[in-house]
Amino acid sequence: MGIGGCIGLFAVGAIMVFATDWHLKGVNVHMVGWILMAAGLLGMITYVNVFRRRRVGRRVDADEVVEERRYYE
């Protein structure tokens, strides 16, 4: 799930919690909204952490000289 999906989950959850007054028999709509908001937030935190790790791993200093040697037999 990308960042758009996480934001979408959070938005749908917020709408269900704060902008509705539905009452469904056997379903607590507000609790479902809170769960969706939590899932969206957790997904966003996970996505940002993974993206940060990938970005840090690719960093190369500008002063560092990279030399490649190939040996053929």
Side-chain angles (χ1 to χ4, degrees):
M1 178 170 33
I3 193 109
C6 296
I7 292 171
L9 272 179
F10 193 85
V12 170
I15 290 170
M16 290 178 76
V17 170
F18 301 115
T20 60
D21 58 353
W22 300 336
H23 299 286
L24 298 175
K25 188 175 184 178
V27 177
N28 188 345
V29 177
H30 295 287
M31 183 57 68
V32 172
W34 282 112
I35 291 170
L36 288 176
M37 286 176 60
L41 187 63
L42 183 65
M44 192 173 304
I45 291 169
T46 304
Y47 181 81
V48 168
N49 283 336
V50 168
F51 182 70
R52 184 178 54 188
R53 284 187 197 151
R54 287 182 185 171
R55 191 169 176 198
V56 169
R58 293 182 183 178
R59 187 185 329 175
V60 177
D61 293 334
D63 296 337
E64 183 179 346
V65 176
V66 178
E67 184 177 325
E68 180 179 341
R69 294 183 185 181
R70 295 185 184 192
Y71 298 100
Y72 298 101
E73 293 185 28

